[in-house]
Amino acid sequence: MAAVPVIFSEAINLQQLGVPETSIKHGLTTMESDKWIICVEPSQVTMIDLRNGAQVTRRPIQAEAAIMNPEQNILALRSGTTLQIFNLEAKAKLKSHNMPEPLVFWKWSSPTNLALVTATSVYHWALDAQSAPVKVFDRHATLGANTQIINYKVSPDNKWCLLGGISAGAGGMVNGNMQLFSMERKVSQPLQGHAGSFATIKVPGREDAQILVFHEKKAEAPQEPPKLYIKEIGRDPAKGAPFGVQPVVIPVPADAMADFPVSLAIDQKNEVAFLLTKMGYAYMFDCHTGKTMYRAKVTSDTIFVTCPQDSTGAIFGITVRKGSVFRLQLNGQALVPYIVQTLRDTDLALKVAGRLNLPGAENLFAAEFERLISTGQVAAAAKVVAASGNALRTPATIARFQQIPAEPNAVPPVLQYFSTLLETGRLNEQESIEVAKPVLQQGRLQLMEKWLKDDKLQCSEALGDLIMPRDAGMALSVYLRAEVHAKAIQCFVQRGEYDKIVPYSTSVGFQMDYTTMLSQLLFNNPQGALDLAKGLVSAEGGPMIDIQQTAEAFLSSNRIQETTAFLLEALKDNKQEHGYLQTKLLEINLIGGAPQVADAIMQQGTLTHYDRAHVAKLCERAGMWQRAAEHYSDIADIKRVFKNSHQMSSEFVVSYFGQLNREQSITLLKDMMSRGPQNMQVCVEIAKKYHEELGSEQLVEVFEQNRATEGLYYYLGAIVNFSEDAFVHFKYIQSSCMLGQFKEAERVCRDSNIYNADEVKAYLKGAKLPDPRPLIHVCDRFDFVDELTEYLYLNSLLQYIEVYVTKVSPTKTPQVVGKLFDLGANEDFIKRILMAVGTACPVEELVEIAETRNRLRMLQPWLEARVATGSTEPGTHNALGKIYITLNREPKSFLLNNMFYEPKVLGPYCESLDPQLAFIAYKKGAGECDDELIKISKTHGLYRDLAKYLVERQDLELWAKVLNKEEGEDEEDTSRRQLIDQIVEWALPESTSADEVSCTVKAFMAADMPGELISLLERVVLQGSDFSDNKNLQNLLILTAIRADTTRVAGYIDQLDNFDAKDIALICVSDSHNLFEEGFSIYTKFSKPEYTSDKEEQTDMQVLAIGVLVDYMKDLDRAKTYATQCDEKPVWSKLGKAQIEGKFPADAIESYINADDPSEYVMVCSEANEAEIYSELIPYLKMARKNMQENLIDTELIYAYAKTNNLTELEQFVSGPNVSNIQAIGDRCFSEGLYPAAKILFVSINNNSKLALCHIHLEEYREAVSAAQKANNVSTWKQVCFACLRADEFRLASTCGLEVIKYPDHVDEVVSHYSDLGHFDHVVSLFEQGLGLDDAHIGIFTELGVLYTKHVPEKTMEHCKVFFSKLNVSKVVRACERARLWDPAVYLYMHDKQHDNALKVMMERANSYDNDLFLESVIKVRNAELMYKAVSYYLEYHPDQFTRLMEVTEENIDHSRVVSQLRRTGPHALQLGQPYLKNVQKLNLSPVNEALNELYVEDEDYEALRKSIDSFNNFNMIALASKLATHELLEFRRISAYVYRCNKKWSQSIDLSKNDRMWKDCIDTANESGDAEIIEDLLRFFCDSSEKECFCAALYTCFAHISPDVVIELGWLNGYHHFVMPFIIQTFRRTHKRLEALEKRTAPPPEENAADEVAATYGNLGGFGGGVLMLENGGPSMGSMGGMPGPQGAIDMSGFAQAQGMPQPGMMPPGGLPQPGMMPQMGGMGMGMGM
């Protein structure tokens, strides 16, 4: 049977993620894309992030619906008609809108548009704009109000909309209707069907088609099967007929005739459509043919939302209530076999396999291809190949088409084949090559270019090679795409694009020999070589060629320009190690005739590490004075260069001084100025710019030394405006005066604040300038007026005095006049000056100066003239007033009428002359002179005038001054008493102004004079006046009496009627006065109708009156009597409030009932409960229920019924309408033991949990279980269970216990309760029953296992084995350990993969040991230390199994440590572990090798030891050799010598062999050493011991290492001629062969080849062997080039070689051949050396 072509799987389950099933339905759960699922719950919105492991986020949002944007984290919320859109990442609200009508459906039609469907219309709301939703179209009549909208789709081009819905039909059928709307034409078309969708598919031979796939089911023909329609929409008729297929009947199964689709989703990736129905059927259709490819029932639940996943083509769906999120995806591997084997539709299989490139149809394609080829249908066969994917597109297929003969005047079959392939897609590599061959032969390059541009060909090296001869550019494109880097670079070279070579090779990581390429280009294309060299030296990661050698190569060809360009590029990073090359770059241009190039290089400033001194000299020789000066640092060199400063630009000279230090600048500046005035201008500019660095004093000194006053003037003039140096300003004033620039001197003197005024003044006075204006400004600014006046007066410059006071500083006129007075100047001159200055002269200062000199009267004309001009200056009028008072010229009239004088000035002036005039002057001050006025009044007894003034002024502060006592004053002031008498008796009674009276009263109050105030008020209020009925005065009189004399208050209350009763009463009863009776009298008096006409105000007064009795006087009996008299409800309420607060609840209840006031029901209930007067409380609560509906009232009434055991009325009340909190009162009754009442209450609210508890307390256990079943609450089950258990009702307890142990959190409590009561068998039985529960959890199995360990240990092992997967292993295993059940503990540890613990148990508990289990666990432990403990354990307790243990742990254990353990255990342990050691010796570990070698030595097994040493050399060989050197057995001593020889201890090895007379070992060791001295010693030993044969054998063996002279000498001395002769013969033969070979190698060449070799030699001298320039790093050719003289006139570059340590002439170049004449002399090395 074929595999299923659809993969169905459950992705997640919403209920498992905590989403309630009530929220998993249409409208509440949405899935707009494969990123989010949004669920709306009653109090929150749950968001499930599918891209992040189904992470759940819950937000406390109240909304009716929510949908997430398919691409962004943007959430849309709907509540009623309000819509809001939020950006969750930015935590901001994007938009909101109120719809005119409710929404029935909404959906994101695109990531930027939200579609809104109302009962009548469809709207689109753009996300990226602030506009409101826009109406798109109205719903069609077929989608009326009874239609439920279930989907809305918009086409990919946003020009078509599809609205779908369902409605109830006849016979229980569900009808489907859709509306297709055109956005362009604004027309709709109704469709009968349930589901539809838009998609874009690829149609062969044309552009993509936009199709509408929809399901059709006609309501009027229910017997007809449904059909699937696929039609192209929106196609331009001018482009041809639209795509479409004939309607296809949908194969509905017989058991699903009433089924209908709920969603149609399209897999755009594979171009198939999935139709999902209500009954859970899934159909899969091909979008190109409409055929049904698969049908199956995938779920039994209703699917209400689907969503495609574009990346994989899968379809997601969610089922109602259960919340299963399933995933439906095409199984491409099984689709074609399923179509072939199950559907038996070969045509469909071929189309699908070809379009989707799926496996399974290869044989079908091959058979069809062979059939068509055999019948000659070339075009059809080509289409089959194109449709087969890659199955038939092989070289064999191309060959088949090539073998078909072409018909005359027809396209060759192979070209037809390629044309067909090009129409459907891209050619592979072989096809591209084959199609290119004929096209290139025909010269149709444009066609090739078009194919490459359209990416129809697969680029390869072979294709590029075909194109290269015809078009290098096109070939380059092919090479680049095919990543054939070497060929691509060749194309760059051929096209002359050298600058692209290095970036390309660097980007692709390609390495090549750039030196060879440069050598080839240098003579053929110098510019190309330069471009390439630039690219190489600027490559990322550093230069790819040697900069110096490359520069030498360019210079050797006399390419100075290219050398310069190359070095500029190479040295642009300005590295310090390139300093020599930078110097050389500038040198070759300065010497080579291109100084302008060097100047430009230095101008750029990119090179800074060259030899500046050397370059400076070169620049000086080249006449580049500025560059030379820039590079010199010695001042002598600089002064020499600056002799030509006239040839330098002034800007450079000025800027150059910025590089020098202070001393150098001054020295150079002096030198320049000493050469004449031609440098003066530039020196001034230098001084201007650098005056701060060089110092103004030194610069001035330089100018003065050279007598350059004019230069000094210009220099200082440039900086004086900005300088803050007093020296600069002084010198500038001085130089200005010396040059006659008085205007400048005057300007600086006038404007500058820097210069030293004394210094400048002294200089100007001593200079006696013809124009004194600079001096005038200095003296004026720095207050040298007296000196200036004296200087001008004594020098007869009187006109300048007048000019000064009139034009320069009129304010200084008083000082000038005072000095003139002192100098005895003419008064007429002084008057003339004053009249000239006029009003500009300050009066006060002038008057003061005149008064001090007794010249005031002289100012009278000038003062009167100022007054005549309208002057209002106080000083002027003060002066005139003094003159008039002195002359007694109507002074009183002046003081009363003049408005401009100052009373504080004239008042004291008048006191000594006339006190009355002084009082008038002070009174004129309007408060400014009050202190003086009071003082003069007291001094001269003017109390009546003062009293009148005080009343009229109405100034409280002034009143305070005269009424308050001064500090420290104890006795009564007689003047104050006289003043008060004048006020009371005369001033105030005469006043008719209420404000004056009020202010006076306030003043007496503020002065704290209550006695005087009462007298004052009684005269005004009680003795009859205009103010007798004044409310304020009456209030004040009573208040003053309250404060000062309380005995008068009651009388005033009776006498007065027009005062503020409430306010006065409040003051009376206040804590500060406690006049409760007076307050009560006021309230009682004004509660009468004759004083208060308003009934409500009368009641308020009564309430206030009783308030005084209950709140202040605390007399409840008197208050009750007063309330009875009034009989007003507010009065009763006030009394009730006081009674309840006074803890008299019964009286309070009576008062509140009289008042019909339930407002204080909370306090009343509280106090009644505390007093337990429930019978009295019931009438009050009934009264309260008539007036208000409050929870507390009904609740307390129920409680009162319960407390009075009035259960009948209680049940009637509960069954009727009420607003009580029955739950709370039930709990209260329950807690107080009122169980019958509580039972009635809990029954009324169906609180079965508490009802069950009531039954328990009433010992009604069966009823309690029944109530617990209704409650189905674990807490209730638990309490009923425990109660039944205590009552020995075990069956009922078991019933409840089974319900409790379903919850893991309560299992321990159940076990604990059973155990505490000793019911162990019952608890085991309970948990055994719990195993059969449907929802039995891990806790039940675990706790049963624990109980077995305690009470039924024989069942523990079986339980662990059967239910291991359902146990909490750690808990059970702890129980097993406590019960000492080791076998179950080991079993649990091992199966829980806690092998460490299992191992520990078996090692610690001998009776739990099992070898197989131990070995199984030991290799799986996490703590490696346990392995080593296991080794010790086995060595001690199970030595016979030790080898097996080590075999198992071989790969996981440290063998070195094991060897150490074996050694510590004892010698027997090593013997025991010998098999293990042999097994692991292959790892060649030092401890293992040493241990085994010790065992071999101990066992005297020299063969095994020799084999071990040869095979495994990782051990301390020297120690072993030393140990074996003294062994008693010969073979072991030989092994010692062998070990020494292996470690190149030749002497020790030979000595051992000598001692044992093992001559062959000696000879082999000496030969292996290759040491001539050792061999010679051995030969001499053999001679000394007369071992002739051994001597001869040593000569033979060590022939290559023996010097012939030593052999001949020993043979001659010892007479061994016959024994040495073979050696001598062999030596002469070898020497002869060497000489013969040397002669052949050094023979002269034949004559005919001499000319060619000479030419080659000269070519090699230039470094161009074979015509190719070889630039190598340190190679012989570049070394030769370094010493090669260049062409005639070239620059000598020998410095390069010198700088880099390259060979000089006569030296051996590194890595190169010797120069002529430098062949080493070999004569000193005779033939005796074997040469």
Side-chain angles (χ1 to χ4, degrees), residues 1513-1663:
N1513 58 0
N1514 185 16
F1515 62 93
N1516 190 344
M1517 291 189 175
I1518 303 302
L1520 179 62
S1522 300
K1523 180 179 180 181
L1524 297 180
T1526 58
H1527 202 280
E1528 59 185 5
L1529 296 181
L1530 172 63
E1531 288 299 330
F1532 284 99
R1533 294 196 299 274
R1534 288 190 68 192
I1535 290 174
S1536 175
Y1538 173 71
V1539 172
Y1540 277 131
R1541 187 173 76 183
C1542 291
N1543 286 273
K1544 298 184 180 181
K1545 304 292 183 181
W1546 316 113
S1547 300
Q1548 293 93 324
S1549 178
I1550 293 173
D1551 290 343
L1552 278 175
S1553 300
K1554 284 179 182 179
N1555 294 335
D1556 291 330
R1557 300 184 63 81
M1558 304 302 296
W1559 309 122
K1560 184 178 184 302
D1561 292 349
C1562 292
I1563 295 170
D1564 290 341
T1565 302
N1567 179 57
E1568 186 176 345
S1569 71
D1571 190 338
E1573 183 178 353
I1574 292 175
I1575 297 172
E1576 183 177 343
D1577 290 342
L1578 183 59
L1579 291 175
R1580 293 185 186 278
F1581 172 78
F1582 284 145
C1583 291
D1584 294 341
S1585 59
S1586 300
E1587 295 289 345
K1588 300 178 182 179
E1589 293 80 5
C1590 294
F1591 178 80
C1592 183
L1595 293 179
Y1596 174 78
T1597 304
C1598 305
F1599 173 79
H1601 309 295
I1602 303 175
S1603 178
D1605 58 332
V1606 175
V1607 176
I1608 294 172
E1609 178 188 353
L1610 291 176
W1612 175 56
L1613 291 176
N1614 294 284
Y1616 292 167
H1617 302 292
H1618 297 291
F1619 292 98
V1620 301
M1621 190 53 65
F1623 177 82
I1624 294 174
I1625 294 171
Q1626 181 63 25
T1627 300
F1628 270 95
R1629 182 178 183 279
R1630 187 178 68 171
T1631 303
H1632 173 71
K1633 291 292 185 182
R1634 286 183 174 182
L1635 290 174
E1636 185 178 6
L1638 182 60
E1639 289 174 354
K1640 288 182 180 180
R1641 196 163 58 245
T1642 58
E1647 288 293 332
E1648 60 271 15
N1649 296 330
D1652 295 339
E1653 292 196 5
V1654 170
T1657 300
Y1658 278 102
N1660 286 331
L1661 285 175

Side-chain angles (χ1 to χ4, degrees), residues 2 4 295 500 1350 1430:
V4 177
R295 182 197 71 192
K500 297 181 180 179
K1350 296 178 180 178

Side-chain angles (χ1 to χ4, degrees), residues 1321-1566:
D1321 295 339
H1322 291 290
V1323 72
V1324 171
S1325 174
L1326 171 66
F1327 277 88
E1328 287 178 343
Q1329 294 178 47
L1331 297 182
L1333 295 174
D1334 293 338
D1335 47 357
H1337 53 81
I1338 190 173
I1340 296 176
F1341 295 92
T1342 300
E1343 200 58 46
L1344 181 58
V1346 173
L1347 291 171
Y1348 278 153
T1349 63
K1350 296 178 180 178
H1351 310 298
V1352 195
E1354 61 273 9
K1355 292 186 178 182
T1356 304
M1357 187 58 139
E1358 180 184 0
H1359 182 75
C1360 293
K1361 290 182 178 179
V1362 174
F1363 300 111
F1364 171 78
S1365 61
K1366 299 181 179 180
L1367 294 178
N1368 183 343
V1369 175
S1370 60
K1371 187 174 182 180
V1372 177
V1373 80
R1374 286 196 300 270
C1376 291
E1377 290 177 348
R1378 287 194 297 270
R1380 308 183 71 80
L1381 301 176
W1382 306 115
D1383 290 341
V1386 171
Y1387 175 84
L1388 292 173
Y1389 275 136
M1390 290 188 62
H1391 281 72
D1392 196 38
K1393 298 182 180 180
Q1394 299 185 42
H1395 302 285
D1396 299 40
N1397 294 329
L1399 213 63
K1400 289 179 182 178
V1401 171
M1402 284 189 280
M1403 288 192 292
E1404 294 171 358
R1405 309 294 175 182
N1407 57 351
S1408 66
Y1409 169 78
D1410 183 279
N1411 187 56
D1412 294 335
L1413 296 178
F1414 195 97
L1415 295 179
E1416 181 182 350
S1417 298
V1418 74
I1419 60 175
K1420 299 178 181 178
V1421 295
R1422 298 180 180 177
N1423 185 2
E1425 291 297 322
L1426 289 175
M1427 292 188 182
Y1428 305 107
K1429 291 183 180 180
V1431 170
S1432 300
Y1433 175 74
Y1434 264 67
L1435 287 174
E1436 183 175 358
Y1437 298 106
H1438 305 286
D1440 56 329
Q1441 299 291 337
F1442 177 76
T1443 303
R1444 177 57 184 158
L1445 172 68
M1446 302 316 297
E1447 288 176 357
V1448 171
T1449 60
E1450 178 181 343
E1451 296 181 357
N1452 304 315
I1453 205 165
D1454 182 358
H1455 303 292
S1456 301
R1457 185 172 175 181
V1458 173
V1459 172
S1460 177
Q1461 280 185 273
L1462 292 173
R1463 289 184 184 277
R1464 291 195 304 271
T1465 304
H1468 72 281
L1470 273 179
Q1471 291 290 345
L1472 182 65
Q1474 187 171 5
Y1476 150 69
L1477 295 174
K1478 289 181 179 179
N1479 188 40
V1480 300
Q1481 194 180 14
K1482 59 181 179 289
L1483 302 176
N1484 197 19
L1485 301 175
S1486 175
V1488 175
N1489 294 336
E1490 291 176 357
L1492 270 177
N1493 291 341
E1494 290 178 12
L1495 292 173
Y1496 291 147
V1497 172
E1498 184 179 345
D1499 295 342
E1500 295 184 353
D1501 189 352
Y1502 64 86
E1503 292 181 354
L1505 178 61
R1506 180 66 176 261
K1507 184 178 179 181
S1508 174
I1509 292 171
D1510 289 340
S1511 301
F1512 309 103
N1513 58 0
N1514 185 16
F1515 62 93
N1516 190 344
M1517 291 189 175
I1518 303 302
L1520 179 62
S1522 300
K1523 180 179 180 181
L1524 297 180
T1526 58
H1527 202 280
E1528 59 185 5
L1529 296 181
L1530 172 63
E1531 288 299 330
F1532 284 99
R1533 294 196 299 274
R1534 288 190 68 192
I1535 290 174
S1536 175
Y1538 173 71
V1539 172
Y1540 277 131
R1541 187 173 76 183
C1542 291
N1543 286 273
K1544 298 184 180 181
K1545 304 292 183 181
W1546 316 113
S1547 300
Q1548 293 93 324
S1549 178
I1550 293 173
D1551 290 343
L1552 278 175
S1553 300
K1554 284 179 182 179
N1555 294 335
D1556 291 330
R1557 300 184 63 81
M1558 304 302 296
W1559 309 122
K1560 184 178 184 302
D1561 292 349
C1562 292
I1563 295 170
D1564 290 341
T1565 302

Side-chain angles (χ1 to χ4, degrees), residues 755-762 765 775-791 804 812 815:
Y755 57 80
N756 188 327
D758 291 327
E759 184 180 20
V760 174
K761 178 193 70 174
K765 287 174 68 176
L775 178 62
I776 290 174
H777 286 293
V778 172
C779 294
D780 177 63
R781 294 184 60 207
F782 296 95
D783 203 21
F784 300 138
V785 178
D786 290 346
E787 294 183 52
L788 174 64
T789 305
E790 184 178 4
Y791 173 80
Y804 171 68
K812 301 291 180 65
Q815 292 177 261

Side-chain angles (χ1 to χ4, degrees), residues 130-277:
Q130 294 300 322
S131 58
V134 178
K135 181 178 177 181
V136 181
F137 60 92
D138 291 326
R139 286 172 55 172
H140 195 269
T142 56
L143 281 84
N146 296 326
T147 301
Q148 179 186 358
I149 304 300
I150 61 173
N151 214 334
Y152 179 75
K153 297 288 181 67
V154 178
S155 63
D157 62 358
N158 293 319
K159 295 181 179 179
W160 298 84
C161 305
L162 183 68
L163 181 65
I166 56 176
S167 59
M173 299 296 290
V174 176
N175 296 334
N177 289 283
M178 294 182 289
Q179 178 182 357
L180 180 64
F181 179 76
S182 172
M183 301 282 281
E184 291 182 334
R185 293 182 291 170
K186 306 298 181 183
V187 295
S188 295
Q189 177 182 349
L191 303 173
Q192 290 194 25
H194 295 79
S197 185
F198 298 100
T200 301
I201 62 173
K202 299 181 182 298
V203 180
R206 51 160 287 186
E207 73 276 5
D208 295 349
Q210 179 178 264
I211 61 171
L212 170 63
V213 183
F214 66 94
H215 160 275
E216 184 194 64
K217 175 70 174 178
K218 295 187 180 295
E220 60 272 13
Q223 69 282 358
E224 292 185 8
K227 297 179 182 179
L228 182 75
Y229 281 79
I230 301 176
K231 293 180 178 294
E232 182 178 6
I233 58 174
R235 180 171 175 80
D236 187 358
K239 295 183 178 180
F243 171 81
V245 297
Q246 292 297 321
V248 180
V249 175
I250 299 175
V252 178
D255 61 343
M257 299 307 295
D259 195 9
F260 64 92
V262 295
S263 175
L264 192 149
I266 297 180
D267 175 3
Q268 289 272 177
K269 181 180 179 182
N270 299 306
E271 298 179 351
V272 297
F274 289 93
L275 185 70
L276 302 174
T277 70

Side-chain angles (χ1 to χ4, degrees), residues 205 386 393 418-428 431 451 454-458:
R393 294 177 64 173
F418 290 138
S419 176
T420 303
L421 293 181
L422 288 169
E423 290 177 0
T424 57
R426 186 169 180 258
L427 303 186
N428 59 31
E431 292 166 351
W451 286 343
D454 296 341
D455 196 24
K456 293 291 188 180
L457 305 179
Q458 182 174 343

